[in-house]
Amino acid sequence: MNLTFRQLKIFEVVARRLSYTRAAEELHLSQPAVSMQIKQLEENVGLPLFEQLGRKIYLTEAGQEMYHYSRSIAQQVEEAEEVLEQLKGLSAGRLEITVATTANAFATRMLSRFSRKYEGSTVSLDVTNREHLLRQLAENEKDIAIMGRPPEDADLVIEPFAENPLVVVAAPDHPLVGQQPIPLYTLQQQTFVVRELGSGTRTAMQRFFAEHNLSITSSMEMNENEAIKQAVQAGMGLGIVSRHTIELELETKRLLILDVEDFPIMRHWYLVHRKEKRLSPITRAFKDFVLSEGRNLISQLP
Ligand code: PGA
């Protein structure tokens, strides 16, 4: 059989519309051109594909078989075109992302893996606190965010992709190091270096202590995890931070995790975007990437 894709395409339209005239209109061809292609196709196939009864045309049995295959071929080609279009969009795409301060511990690593996969795409990354990040989404300044659980909001799509344990850290020479388990109430006698108001870590910490009827003392407030780690190492108090921010300090033993009762406080990381936001191909690709590989990437932190 020596049929061409053009013949199949024309056949698919004639078979769907059961009219040479309407098919010719849809294909922007003349009616004789359409009839000619069908005639050649029938010759190639060696069987009649249509029969004419009165002024109407009908598919023969061979025509029905051919229609089944021509439809699925046309759909496949359409799908291939769509995928290729998306890839064009991906390689030239720009990802506008904003992440919570703590998520920066793994965001750069995640983005570098992603960019390697989608060469040609560019990324604009903002690292900011939770309140500002929510405003950026609301005002359509950023397409997608990585953050701790956002407030309930019907306008947001919120998808978890990894756990985020908050732990109590201390300098290696802190008197509580080595005690285990440390009763929770002991923390009331300690001083803490804490994150700023508006931080997800701070909110989770406050909620946790309120639920356990404890009030703790803070000596200092800082808006960066790096600063908290430095202050804790310098002996200014205990810190409560995401475990994802201290891998290096644990490895070099500059900080230790205290074995406190009821810890860690288990939070999660979420991908968040506005419901009505039409995600660009690159943003959709990033979302799929994080949902499928994010958890693994975080667990491989150095
Ligand atoms: P944070 O965010 O850096 O604002 O604390 C992390 C979180 O929400 O858990």
Side-chain angles (χ1 to χ4, degrees), residues 48 61 112 118 130-131 183 211 248 262 264:
E61 197 183 337
S112 95
Y118 295 99
R130 189 180 159 85
E131 269 168 51
E211 278 167 11
L248 216 60
D262 290 326

Side-chain angles (χ1 to χ4, degrees), residues 9-236:
K9 209 171 148 192
I10 292 174
F11 168 78
E12 191 273 325
V13 181
V14 179
R16 174 159 43 82
R17 313 221 41 180
L18 289 175
S19 154
Y20 286 105
T21 319
R22 286 197 296 266
E25 275 167 18
E26 184 174 326
L27 291 159
H28 305 292
L29 292 173
S30 69
Q31 196 197 312
V34 171
S35 309
M36 170 69 82
Q37 291 289 333
I38 297 296
K39 197 159 164 284
Q40 280 175 1
L41 178 63
E42 286 178 323
E43 277 166 18
N44 284 337
V45 172
L47 285 169
L49 300 171
F50 294 100
E51 57 190 353
Q52 182 131 19
L53 293 177
R55 296 184 56 199
K56 285 191 166 176
I57 57 165
Y58 297 87
L59 284 166
T60 60
E61 197 183 337
Q64 281 173 13
E65 286 294 331
M66 184 61 102
Y67 184 44
H68 167 75
Y69 288 108
S70 64
R71 270 181 59 144
S72 85
I73 291 169
Q75 275 164 5
Q76 296 258 338
V77 171
E78 248 171 57
E79 217 177 282
E81 278 171 355
E82 239 169 64
V83 170
L84 292 174
E85 273 311 306
Q86 286 208 0
L87 284 176
K88 273 190 220 162
L90 283 172
S91 57
R94 184 176 166 84
L95 178 64
E96 293 277 350
I97 176 172
T98 180
V99 305
T101 313
T102 301
N104 197 32
F106 56 81
T108 339
R109 180 189 179 82
M110 216 173 232
L111 286 167
S112 95
R113 288 282 179 94
F114 178 74
S115 305
R116 248 183 275 160
K117 204 166 164 183
Y118 295 99
E119 273 179 37
S121 61
T122 52
V123 177
S124 150
L125 167 73
D126 241 15
V127 181
T128 185
N129 74 28
R130 189 180 159 85
E131 269 168 51
H132 183 223
L133 179 153
L134 285 168
R135 208 162 50 238
Q136 285 178 318
L137 286 182
E139 289 170 9
N140 206 20
E141 278 172 31
K142 292 287 171 184
D143 299 333
I144 197 157
I146 293 179
M147 64 184 300
R149 187 170 185 83
E152 286 305 321
D153 181 340
D155 286 342
L156 294 177
V157 175
I158 302 166
E159 289 167 275
F161 65 90
E163 290 181 331
N164 174 22
L166 303 187
V167 294
V168 185
V169 287
D173 57 356
H174 193 279
L176 286 179
V177 168
Q179 288 190 33
Q180 54 181 182
I182 301 166
L184 191 53
Y185 66 83
T186 315
L187 298 188
Q188 284 206 119
Q189 295 134 26
Q190 299 296 322
T191 305
F192 281 81
V193 184
V194 298
R195 282 285 304 276
E196 81 283 10
L197 276 176
S199 129
T201 308
R202 168 81 174 257
T203 311
M205 180 193 95
Q206 281 176 325
R207 197 182 309 126
F208 175 84
F209 286 125
E211 278 167 11
H212 290 82
N213 293 316
L214 291 182
S215 62
I216 60 152
T217 318
S218 60
S219 61
M220 218 181 263
E221 193 174 297
M222 294 172 166
N223 63 1
E224 278 186 17
N225 294 308
E226 278 310 309
I228 293 195
K229 293 190 290 184
Q230 297 287 341
V232 173
Q233 281 176 56
M236 301 179 83

Side-chain angles (χ1 to χ4, degrees), residues 85-87 89-90 114 118 278-286:
E85 273 311 306
Q86 286 208 0
L87 284 176
L90 283 172
F114 178 74
Y118 295 99
R278 282 197 56 180
L279 298 183
S280 64
I282 192 77
T283 312
R284 231 175 306 130
F286 180 71

